């Protein structure tokens, strides 16, 4: 496909710049560009076709079923985008005086109030720009808490092997060393291993719940008590909140800190790099360490408060990705408390329906035929018997118009496919997908070779993913 600079005609001279409506400033020649600004010279039709072509080369939730486990690729109601587009939200400047953006500050306040009541936390901060950034921020709160109490020997974070991959990475980024503990055969935190791992050097414990095999930890109170009794704090990775919102609250389970992924659970289109929002919620004892500025109310006026001697400081310029918060608030307000609970119930119902329909065909090593919002299939047997890998299976799904599930994760399942149907799919779609899964499974046994060269219908088949990540070509060079 051609780049936009390669189509059109240099001599078309499209006058895209509007008339200047402010006085022209006199700028010293040395600051002026020497060469003409190179802009694409394309007609409106060409622009429209170019971007339509581009959009067809990628796969989004509006193209088809997108069961990318842990990523919650659900349909995002367009009303949320309408709200985020309102000029009062979209056309503001971060340096505008607080008294001119009272409505926007109110959005933060309301979102904080709602999310605190959903999670059982006492405060919520919206600076972090994504889930992993929220983890980093939450871990820094834990770090600051121990430091403030002169409890300086606590430098270890315990992470079960069923945690999301960002958990140990964020702990290391925040300056802790990471202790990995194994799961039980059933896929839960090994409580005895946790008991043995905690001690005077324990800063905290991070739990992804439901975990990456789609299970709700059975002994959650016992887990948080063990960590607290050892003097550590407890961190809840709440990116999978769409399995429990309106039903169970991390705060009631004994967690001190939680992060949420507004771009997943609370409905902002995501993938492709953002923008996201990973707000961090905490209990009272951690509020003093939250990033500044905090939004405070003084005589009925909302304002930014920069002062807090104990704060970990800023973690992002300005105040986080505001429009993602607007979308999340619109989502919460349209659904209401009952609607949010329904969303979770349907996420869990859809996953269990698929799991139930597939479990006689596929190996599903954990969960005993039950799951929360996602489940993990193992294709280890298929790989051994027919040399068809999880990758082959996933790539062939693309030819069926289905986005592949998350592959090779979690690491505790070999040839893993992690399937998260989400709450926004209909029974008809699920039935169609279930039929494709079964059909491909049969094909893998009868004609394994036909799964090796797939996909055949997409613009690119099997790119060198490592090469693309390590040596990306991000610049366009031309004369
Ligand atoms: C997606 C996810 C994260 C990371 O969130 P990002 O916004 O991608 O940084 C962390 N934990 C879990 C369980 C997730 O699903």
């Amino acid at each position: 496909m051609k780049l936009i600079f390669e189509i059109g005609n240099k001599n078309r001279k499209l006058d895209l710049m509007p008339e200047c409506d402010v006085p022209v400033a006199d700028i010293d020649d040395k600051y002026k560009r020497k060469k003409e600004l190179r802009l694409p010279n394309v007609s409106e039709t060409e622009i429209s076709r170019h971007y339509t072509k581009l959009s067809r080369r990628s796969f989004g939730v509006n193209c088809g079923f997108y069961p990318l486990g842990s990523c919650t690729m659900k349909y995002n109601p367009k009303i949320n985008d309408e709200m985020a587009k309102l000029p009062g939200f979209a056309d503001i400047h971060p340096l505008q005086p607080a008294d001119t953006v009272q409505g926007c500050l109110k959005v933060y306040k309301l979102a904080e109030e709602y999310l605190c009541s959903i999670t059982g936390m006492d405060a919520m901060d919206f600076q972090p720009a994504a889930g992993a950034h929220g983890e980093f921020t939450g871990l820094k709160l834990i770090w600051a808490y121990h430091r403030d109490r002169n409890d300086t020997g606590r430098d270890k974070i315990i992470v079960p092997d069923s945690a999301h991959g960002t958990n140990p990475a964020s702990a290391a980024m925040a300056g802790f060393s990471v202790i990995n503990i194994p799961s039980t055969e059933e896929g839960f935190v090994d409580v005895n291993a946790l008991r043995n791992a905690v001690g005077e050097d324990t800063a905290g414990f991070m739990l992804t719940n439901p975990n990456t095999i789609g299970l709700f930890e059975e002994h959650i109170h016992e887990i948080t008590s063990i960590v607290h009794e050892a003097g550590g704090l407890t961190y809840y990775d709440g990116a999978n909140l769409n399995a429990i919102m309106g039903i169970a609250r991390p705060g009631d389970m004994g967690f001190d800190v939680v992060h949420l992924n507004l771009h997943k659970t609370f409905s902002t289109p995501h993938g492709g790099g953002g923008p996201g929002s990973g707000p961090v919620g905490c209990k009272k004892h951690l509020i003093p360490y939250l990033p500044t500025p905090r939004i405070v109310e003084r005589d009925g006026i909302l304002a930014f408060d920069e002062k807090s001697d104990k704060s970990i400081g800023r973690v992002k310029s300005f105040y986080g990705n505001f429009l993602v918060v607007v979308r999340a608030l619109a989502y919460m307000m349209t659904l209401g408390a009952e609607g949010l609970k329904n969303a979770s119930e349907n996420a869990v119902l859809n996953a269990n329906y698929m799991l139930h329909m597939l479990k006689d065909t596929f190996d599903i090593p954990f969960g005993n035929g039950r799951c929360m919002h996602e489940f993990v299939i193992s294709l280890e047997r298929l790989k051994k018997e027919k040399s068809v890998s999880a990758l082959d299976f996933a790539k062939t799904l693309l030819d069926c118009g289905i986005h592949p599930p998350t592959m090779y994760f979690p690491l505790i399942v070999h040839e893993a496919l992690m399937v998260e149907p989400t709450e926004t799919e209909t029974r008809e779609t699920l039935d169609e997908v279930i039929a494709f899964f079964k059909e491909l499974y049969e094909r893998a046994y009868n004609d394994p070779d036909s799964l090796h060269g797939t996909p055949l219908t997409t613009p690119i088949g099997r790119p060198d993913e490592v090469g693309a990540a390590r040596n990306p070509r991000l610049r366009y060079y031309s004369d």
Side-chain angles (χ1 to χ4, degrees):
M1 187 179 160
K2 283 185 176 167
L3 298 180
I4 198 162
F5 290 99
E6 295 163 341
I7 52 178
N9 184 324
K10 277 202 184 115
N11 303 318
R12 191 153 285 134
K13 296 282 172 218
L14 291 164
D15 286 316
L16 293 175
M17 294 291 185
E19 289 277 310
C20 183
D21 62 355
V22 291
V24 176
D26 199 11
I27 298 169
D28 194 311
D29 262 356
K30 72 174 179 216
Y31 295 119
K32 289 186 184 161
R33 72 172 66 248
K34 304 286 177 293
K35 274 202 223 156
E36 209 180 321
L37 183 62
R38 208 166 59 86
L39 292 170
N41 270 291
V42 282
S43 70
E44 191 169 329
T45 324
E46 284 168 326
I47 292 180
S48 169
R49 287 191 187 140
H50 179 74
Y51 285 106
T52 306
K53 254 186 225 160
L54 265 182
S55 77
R56 287 208 191 130
R57 291 170 68 89
S58 65
F59 193 104
V61 278
N62 294 321
C63 306
F65 190 62
Y66 204 140
L68 193 67
S70 213
C71 295
T72 313
M73 304 304 284
K74 65 185 182 187
Y75 174 76
N76 305 293
K78 298 295 173 264
I79 181 83
N80 304 337
D81 289 314
E82 294 294 324
M83 295 302 108
K85 260 196 295 195
L86 291 174
F89 294 142
D91 298 344
I92 53 169
H93 192 281
L95 294 177
Q96 229 168 293
D99 60 357
T100 65
V101 284
Q102 287 293 300
C104 299
L105 300 191
K106 186 80 196 269
V107 166
Y108 276 125
K109 270 299 190 204
L110 262 184
E112 177 176 19
E113 187 187 309
Y114 291 176
L115 292 173
C116 281
S117 80
I118 290 170
T119 54
M121 292 288 152
D122 297 318
M124 189 74 57
D125 190 275
F126 292 92
Q127 268 188 39
H133 196 188
E135 291 168 27
F136 175 80
T137 308
L139 287 161
K140 279 291 180 199
L141 299 183
I142 293 178
W143 183 83
Y145 172 85
H146 293 307
R147 279 291 157 107
D148 196 27
R149 292 154 44 99
N150 272 330
D151 199 354
T152 50
R154 297 187 179 273
D155 60 354
K156 299 207 168 45
I157 294 283
I158 302 169
V159 183
D161 61 5
S162 61
H164 192 264
T166 48
N167 292 185
S170 300
M173 282 281 288
F176 294 105
S177 46
V178 180
I179 306 227
N180 238 293
I181 55 167
S183 301
T184 61
E185 263 173 37
E186 291 80 37
F188 296 111
V189 169
D190 185 332
V191 175
N192 287 327
L194 176 62
R195 240 184 256 286
N196 290 334
V198 294
E200 284 180 357
D201 58 355
T202 303
F205 170 78
M206 288 181 98
L207 188 74
T208 303
N209 187 61
N211 64 21
T212 50
I213 37 190
L215 303 180
F216 192 103
E217 288 296 340
E218 283 184 341
H219 302 289
I220 207 145
H221 269 128
E222 196 179 345
I223 291 169
T224 51
S225 304
I226 291 171
V227 179
H228 282 151
E229 275 158 28
L233 296 182
T234 47
Y235 186 101
Y236 189 99
D237 178 336
N240 290 336
L241 202 80
N242 70 323
I244 64 155
M245 64 182 166
I247 299 164
R249 309 193 312 165
D252 301 335
M253 302 172 204
F255 286 89
D256 303 293
V257 201
V258 58
H259 86 264
L260 304 175
N261 275 34
L262 297 189
H263 44 293
K264 292 179 181 170
T265 314
F266 295 93
S267 165
T268 274
H270 63 289
S277 175
V280 166
C282 67
K283 287 284 182 65
K284 275 202 183 68
H285 50 278
L286 292 174
I287 293 179
Y289 314 106
L290 281 171
T292 49
R294 299 278 306 149
I295 297 170
V296 292
E297 191 170 341
R298 289 192 199 105
D299 310 325
I301 307 272
L302 294 166
F304 291 112
D305 189 359
E306 297 276 356
K307 288 187 293 298
S308 165
D309 359 324
K310 296 188 171 178
S311 164
I312 60 165
R314 271 179 191 275
V315 296
K316 188 182 183 303
S317 54
F318 303 118
Y319 318 107
N321 286 327
F322 174 60
L323 294 178
V324 183
V325 184
V326 173
R327 287 187 185 87
L329 184 63
Y331 182 71
M332 290 189 276
M333 292 179 100
T334 38
L335 265 67
E338 227 8 71
L340 290 174
K341 182 164 170 256
N342 279 342
S344 288
E345 287 167 347
N346 285 330
V348 174
L349 179 64
N350 277 356
N352 276 283
Y353 178 67
M354 269 194 86
L355 167 59
H356 180 76
M357 300 300 277
L358 294 175
K359 71 173 194 279
D360 294 334
T361 310
F362 291 87
D363 292 332
I364 296 166
F366 292 105
N368 266 333
R370 300 283 287 279
C371 65
M372 293 297 288
H373 64 304
E374 65 193 4
F375 59 94
V376 182
I377 291 172
S378 168
L379 293 184
E380 198 174 9
R381 193 158 45 89
L382 192 58
K383 172 90 185 289
K384 269 196 199 124
E385 294 174 6
K386 292 286 163 182
S387 293
V388 171
S389 64
L391 180 79
D392 295 326
F393 197 91
K395 290 290 182 188
T396 313
L397 282 172
L398 279 164
D399 285 334
C400 308
I402 297 171
H403 192 281
T406 297
M407 305 180 294
Y408 298 97
F409 195 80
L411 304 175
I412 45 181
V413 178
H414 297 292
E415 296 299 319
L417 289 180
M418 185 190 210
V419 183
E420 178 182 9
T422 82
E423 64 271 25
T424 55
E425 297 299 337
T426 61
R427 165 89 186 266
E428 291 70 30
T429 304
L430 296 180
D431 283 336
E432 216 174 88
V433 170
I434 289 161
F436 273 127
F437 267 68
K438 289 184 173 172
E439 202 180 300
L440 284 193
Y441 190 81
E442 215 166 280
R443 211 170 103 197
Y445 268 95
N446 299 332
D447 182 11
D449 256 354
S450 72
L451 280 83
H452 286 146
T454 52
L456 304 170
T457 56
T458 54
I460 292 178
R462 299 199 182 190
D464 172 358
E465 284 160 12
V466 175
R470 298 273 157 79
N471 310 303
R473 272 171 52 199
L474 302 175
R475 279 192 62 185
Y476 175 61
Y477 294 95
S478 80
D479 32 283

